[in-house]
Amino acid sequence: MDWGYLFTSFDGRINRGKFWAGYVVLWVATVVVVGLLSALLGDSASFWVLYTVAVAILIVAGLAVQVKRWHDRGRSGWWVLIALIPLIGPIWAIIETGFLPGTSGPNEYGADPLA
């Protein structure tokens, strides 16, 4: 698996397995980074600056993973915004990206990742 592509590119498609692998890695990275920063810096101004930078990087990486998964479903990456709709949005997004299969064969976003 090309982890750099997974977390930095907003082009192409990924299957459900790579989607879940990416999100597990991001959650573990979040716990580790926040834990390390908290242990090393406590509740200082440096902690909050580094925390903000780390969270911004992790959010961009998460968006890259999710956009590629929406592409696999045959939808624009802008569908990530559906998660901003209270209650129903996050549920819809997780069902679409995490549980439903992608379009079979190539689509406008690239070749079938399972082919």
Side-chain angles (χ1 to χ4, degrees):
M1 180 181 303
D2 183 0
W3 296 99
Y5 165 76
L6 184 64
F7 295 125
T8 61
S9 174
F10 288 83
D11 296 325
R13 298 168 60 178
I14 58 170
N15 60 29
R16 287 175 286 181
K18 289 181 182 176
F19 171 79
W20 285 115
Y23 264 90
V24 166
V25 168
L26 288 172
W27 278 107
V28 169
T30 301
V31 169
V32 169
V33 167
V34 171
L36 282 174
L37 289 175
S38 180
L40 295 174
L41 300 173
D43 192 24
S44 65
S46 299
F47 167 79
W48 289 107
V49 169
L50 291 174
Y51 173 82
T52 302
V53 170
V55 167
I57 290 169
L58 292 167
I59 286 172
V60 170
L63 287 172
V65 171
Q66 200 172 59
V67 163
K68 284 191 285 293
R69 187 64 192 126
W70 281 108
H71 285 172
D72 191 43
R73 296 278 304 137
R75 300 212 161 122
S76 165
W78 288 103
W79 274 83
V80 298
L81 298 176
I82 193 120
L84 298 176
I85 298 172
L87 192 60
I88 191 87
I91 294 169
W92 185 340
I94 200 70
I95 290 171
E96 282 259 0
T97 58
F99 297 106
L100 297 178
T103 57
S104 44
N107 67 16
E108 65 184 291
Y109 301 104
D112 188 343
L114 296 177

